[in-house]
Amino acid sequence: MALRLPQALPAALDELPLWQERVRLMVKPRRYEHVLRVAELAREIAEAAALSPEEIAQAYAAGILHDIARDLPESELLRLAPPECDIDSRHPLALHGRAARTLLERWGYRDERVLAAVEDHTTGPRGGNRVAACVYIADVSEPGRGVNADIRELALNDLGAALRRSVTSKVTYLQGKGIPVHPRTLAAYHDLEAYALEAVPALTLATLAEASPPESQCVEPLLAETHLKGSD
């Protein structure tokens, strides 16, 4: 697939083709195909949300870079991203977002918004980072996964609603099953209000029952890919 960059590419991102080649060399061929689909969908979501030209370019860049550490050995992930909690220690693949940021910074990548989106793509965007929201949603719903088409379609019409659905589904499902939720994911849940959404409901047994969607939809992939194993 040919590299397709948005128009009016900011100068800070004009070396993206070189970074993309580095990603291609570091990941398995099938994962590289996933990376390209995530980047393209993140760009489409950013455009649909009427983000700025710079943010659109950053969403594409973060999509290209998000899995650069995904195929590293677990020992290397642990070295690049020391565990912050027991979940990290038990499931090192969940660290590949933080590990990717560390690699990129060591190699001289400096776009903070892109770095934050790469770092948070496994646990959820924090701090109202709209670029991170685009990448997070694109990662869990790109067409090659064969799941979460409802989230993908919603994101192309309402980014905030799609983010709310994906993060809330993940948190309520895990808590409903008695599975610990990563502290960063809880932070992302409480940060939903930063995206100009309605107030986030308190996590009670009642809201857990009401908010949990059918397990065959968005929750199981989010659980398997972005909580226990880490997103692709």
Side-chain angles (χ1 to χ4, degrees):
M1 181 184 296
L3 177 62
R4 180 185 169 201
L5 295 175
Q7 296 298 313
L9 185 65
L13 299 172
D14 60 7
E15 294 184 350
L16 183 58
L18 299 177
W19 289 101
Q20 178 169 339
E21 178 62 12
R22 181 168 290 188
V23 172
R24 186 185 69 81
L25 294 173
M26 289 192 63
V27 301
K28 300 172 183 176
R30 184 175 178 182
R31 194 166 323 280
Y32 184 64
E33 294 173 1
H34 161 77
V35 161
L36 295 178
R37 290 191 298 267
V38 169
E40 181 63 19
L41 181 56
R43 180 191 65 78
E44 293 175 3
I45 293 171
E47 288 182 340
L51 301 193
S52 70
E54 182 179 17
E55 288 174 305
I56 293 170
Q58 288 169 326
Y60 189 93
I64 290 294
L65 297 171
H66 80 282
D67 267 354
I68 196 168
R70 179 59 176 78
D71 290 333
L72 293 178
E74 290 187 352
S75 59
E76 186 67 5
L77 294 176
L78 290 165
R79 185 183 71 83
L80 291 168
E84 296 178 336
C85 61
D86 184 57
I87 294 172
D88 291 341
S89 299
R90 289 185 289 112
H91 306 287
L93 283 180
L95 296 169
H96 74 270
R98 285 176 51 214
R101 176 176 182 140
T102 300
L103 278 180
L104 291 169
E105 288 180 326
R106 289 181 180 179
W107 291 338
Y109 201 91
R110 294 290 179 262
D111 189 316
E112 176 57 34
R113 191 179 287 153
V114 172
L115 290 170
V118 169
E119 178 180 3
D120 287 345
H121 85 271
T122 56
T123 48
R126 298 169 295 165
N129 185 339
R130 298 186 297 178
V131 169
C134 292
V135 175
Y136 180 79
I137 293 170
D139 186 36
V140 301
S141 68
E142 59 92 351
R145 286 194 182 275
V147 294
N148 299 333
D150 60 319
I151 291 179
R152 181 171 66 250
E153 294 304 316
L154 182 58
L156 292 170
N157 291 281
D158 189 332
L159 174 60
L163 181 64
R164 178 185 176 86
R165 179 181 297 183
S166 58
V167 174
T168 300
S169 296
K170 180 176 181 177
V171 171
T172 55
Y173 176 83
L174 293 172
Q175 291 204 343
K177 294 290 186 179
I179 300 172
V181 180
H182 197 287
R184 285 175 173 248
T185 299
L186 282 176
Y189 178 83
H190 292 298
D191 271 359
L192 288 174
E193 292 181 350
Y195 296 84
L197 303 175
E198 61 198 72
V200 177
L203 290 178
T204 65
L205 290 177
T207 56
L208 289 174
E210 293 170 359
S212 297
E215 294 183 4
S216 62
Q217 294 182 12
C218 63
V219 178
E220 290 287 6
L222 287 170
L223 167 63
E225 298 292 347
T226 64
H227 180 74
L228 297 183
K229 296 191 299 181
S231 176
D232 274 348

